[in-house]
Amino acid sequence: MSDIKESNILAVDLGSSFIRIVVGKDQLSNKAIAHFISLPSYGIKNGTIYDFEQVRSILNAGLKSIYQREGSNFKEKCILNLSGKVYISKNIKIEQKYSKETQIRTKTINDLLLNISEEKDYTPVHICKRSFLVDNSFETLNPSGMFCKSLQANFHVIYMLSTYYKTLKELFSSLHLDLVDILPSSIASANAILKDNDYLIPKFLVVDIGALTTDFVLYSSGVPEFTSTVLLGSENITRDISFGLKVNRDEAEKLKLDFSEPEDHDDFKSFLKNIIYSRSEDIVLYIYDKLKKISDNMIPLRIYLTGQGSKLFVFKKLFEEIFECPVEVRRPFTFSINEKRDYEHSTVLGLINYALNNTILSNKYDNQNLIKKFFEIFLKRGR
Ligand SMILES: Nc1ncnc2c1ncn2[C@@H]1O[C@H](COP(=O)(O)OP(=O)(O)OP(=O)(O)O)[C@@H](O)[C@H]1O
Ligand SMILES: [Mg+2]
């Protein structure tokens, strides 16, 4: 067995239908995906684990098969997705006044990050920088090197339920994995499907439609402004068909996947169409209402859909009708040759892309506090 490979990182997408694991390597600036595994998921519902032991054995089996192929048993850093009811997102403003002119350095910003407070029962697990206001006069994305007397930082912070976070940490540690970052599925998927030009659109929405969850994030001026999850996905459509037509789950799934708009009058197809449309509409309207309730300003100019659920044409149509803006269904972009890259791989590929392009691998972290791990990441990229 060879030694521990410091340059490896594992990305794990705990999906409701599949658990997907990717191993990324960063050797001599050569970033590559070394392993890609999908395992049927058990013990996860609506984006959260309800049976930790079951998930542990699935992950254990996945790791074993990677170790066998790798020829080594490595202790890895790991990046994970986050979905469901166990997290909240908040935009936070932190202000610092200095007694004399001060040059902004990495430490100045790190000190601001340490001021991000805990929320009752919630722990901050991921931070995106939104903007910095220097001397109350101008905004910038990267104030490093500037002189100022006051600095205001705007962050998009993802808070996870503390008890759930603690249990997750323990689960991964029992598998000899060091959980170094946790990204909401929507932000992870955005990292796999967006091109640089997309970030120039003033307001856009990224939606990952899965089996039992639909994760979404609204980007404003290229950075996340609102992140949330709908506890409904494409499997709910299958269940409705099964219930409405009194067929078993697999037959209902087949009817859903084979569905096409009825051209002539056809009672059966029209009935099926109603079932599919009404549940899909629930999902799209939930997102619309949630954003609209915050402000009229939260309505996007463009929408990107991904996740396997987005293959159902109905979603593109409904998003276009309800949001009245262009909608694109996107697969993850090519990361390395020969990798699998279908719609359902956006989250795991986005996680590994994020990890390999930031400094999670650089080992400069204090293991006690995830926040401290963001210092480097954060200055490099605000997404
Ligand atoms: N060809 C297809 N057309 C439309 N929908 C499909 C197709 N293939 C699979 N699906 C649906 O996609 C859903 C699974 O999506 P995905 O694999 O992205 O979910 P997941 O990531 O495992 O779950 P979640 O994100 O909810 O935790 C299933 O409900 C399935 O019915
Ligand atoms: Mg998913």
Side-chain angles (χ1 to χ4, degrees), residues 15-18 20 209-213 234-235 253 256-257 307-309 311-312 344:
S16 313
S17 64
F18 281 93
R20 300 164 183 115
I209 307 169
L212 288 170
T213 59
S234 187
E235 179 64 24
E253 177 76 359
K256 178 183 81 176
L257 301 188
Q308 202 163 201
K311 285 187 190 168
L312 210 61
E344 66 271 30

Side-chain angles (χ1 to χ4, degrees), residues 26-152:
D26 188 1
Q27 280 163 340
L28 304 169
S29 302
N30 188 10
K31 299 176 183 22
I33 286 177
H35 303 281
F36 198 132
I37 303 183
S38 287
L39 300 156
S41 170
Y42 297 97
I44 298 171
K45 198 177 158 192
N46 295 119
T48 42
I49 303 175
Y50 66 86
D51 186 337
F52 277 84
E53 213 27 65
Q54 202 152 30
V55 172
R56 211 183 90 80
S57 24
I58 298 170
L59 287 173
N60 205 13
L63 292 172
K64 254 192 183 156
S65 88
I66 293 172
Y67 297 154
Q68 267 169 9
R69 281 189 259 164
E70 185 79 359
S72 71
N73 208 348
F74 47 84
K75 205 173 176 172
E76 293 302 347
K77 291 193 173 63
C78 178
I79 179 166
L80 181 70
N81 73 315
L82 171 62
S83 180
K85 271 201 289 194
V86 288
Y87 79 99
I88 48 169
S89 74
K90 279 196 164 192
N91 292 326
I92 286 179
K93 205 181 273 181
I94 291 174
E95 254 183 309
Q96 185 69 54
K97 287 195 179 2
Y98 305 100
S99 51
K100 56 181 184 3
E101 243 177 39
T102 301
Q103 187 169 27
I104 304 167
R105 300 184 185 280
T106 308
K107 185 176 179 316
T108 330
I109 296 175
N110 292 350
D111 290 346
L112 288 182
L113 276 168
L114 290 175
N115 286 333
I116 292 178
S117 57
E118 301 253 327
E119 288 279 308
K120 190 177 178 309
D121 300 331
Y122 282 84
T123 306
V125 293
H126 187 75
I127 300 167
C128 311
K129 77 175 176 208
R130 301 193 61 225
S131 66
F132 293 90
L133 186 66
V134 181
D135 285 339
N136 273 322
S137 51
F138 69 95
E139 260 192 321
T140 171
L141 267 179
N142 188 358
S144 280
M146 290 180 189
F147 286 90
C148 70
K149 288 192 84 173
S150 82
L151 182 61
Q152 179 191 303

Side-chain angles (χ1 to χ4, degrees), residues 20 207-210 234 237 256-259 305-317 329-332 341-345:
R20 300 164 183 115
V207 187
D208 184 311
I209 307 169
S234 187
I237 302 173
K256 178 183 81 176
L257 301 188
D258 293 344
F259 173 74
L305 304 182
T306 194
Q308 202 163 201
S310 68
K311 285 187 190 168
L312 210 61
F313 178 72
V314 186
F315 280 110
K316 176 172 157 60
K317 210 170 147 192
V329 183
R330 285 253 178 110
R331 284 204 312 171
R341 64 175 191 102
D342 215 331
Y343 302 86
E344 66 271 30
H345 303 129

Side-chain angles (χ1 to χ4, degrees), residues 359-374:
T359 47
I360 290 171
L361 294 166
S362 70
N363 240 350
K364 287 181 190 158
Y365 308 115
D366 168 348
N367 271 334
Q368 296 309 307
N369 189 345
L370 274 184
I371 288 290
K372 291 181 186 164
K373 297 176 183 174
F374 298 130

